[in-house]
Amino acid sequence: MEEEFHDLTDRVRAELRTADDLAAYERLLGLARRGSAAGRDELAAVLVAVERPLWAREIAAFVLGCAGDTRAFETLVLLLNYRDPVRCATAARALARLGDPRTARAAAALATNPLRTAYALHPVRLLAELRAPQSVPALIATLERLTAPHTPYWRVALACVEGLGALGDRRAVPALTTATGHPRLAAAAAAALARLGAPGGT
């Protein structure tokens, strides 16, 4: 977590605009490093305070999520579905550590929502990492939507293929077989089928 937290705080520091921002930032870092129950309570208060900047909520949610504090769940899910891929990735890492049973359901809902496909890469990767009951059905459903030859979301489809290969569930064989016909997915789909011991694998 330490390296990821350092990357997050370096990125956020570039967003600070005023002396008040810097003071609030330094206070958050102090609370994070303290690691006490009282410090976590203060961080949780940041998540629900009025007019707190997004970067402050992100720091607080990341620290709480990595500490297994479920008060971070709603904010982390919001960030998982955010338009900035870097924030999505940070939220996914914290959600993977959070251990909240709601996480897989939320990630599956985001991954399978056709209106949010542009932001589905990190929910898809998170589902593969979680290995939850929702993971395989959600990845199959998402992949099946994205195997058209000219889909602009082939990176999301590729993450589905790779995730299904890693999860090793033979329910994925039909979707992976279809994916072998997609030029950008063919090699990964064949490798995934091979891991499943299915025809068409290489």
Side-chain angles (χ1 to χ4, degrees), residues 82-90 122:
Y82 199 68
R83 62 181 177 272
D84 182 349
V86 177
R87 285 199 154 102
C88 296
T90 300
H122 292 289

Side-chain angles (χ1 to χ4, degrees), residues 40-56:
R40 288 192 294 274
D41 286 344
E42 288 195 53
L43 290 169
V46 170
L47 301 180
V48 296
V50 177
E51 296 183 356
R52 286 294 184 123
L54 184 63
W55 59 260

Side-chain angles (χ1 to χ4, degrees), residues 11-32:
R11 170 169 56 80
V12 163
R13 190 179 181 91
E15 299 180 28
L16 307 181
R17 296 291 179 265
T18 67
D20 286 345
D21 284 348
L22 180 60
Y25 169 85
E26 296 290 352
R27 176 162 179 75
L28 284 173
L29 266 56
L31 292 171

Side-chain angles (χ1 to χ4, degrees), residues 165-178:
L167 291 170
D169 191 311
R170 290 186 63 84
R171 288 178 293 173
V173 167
L176 290 171
T177 301
T178 300

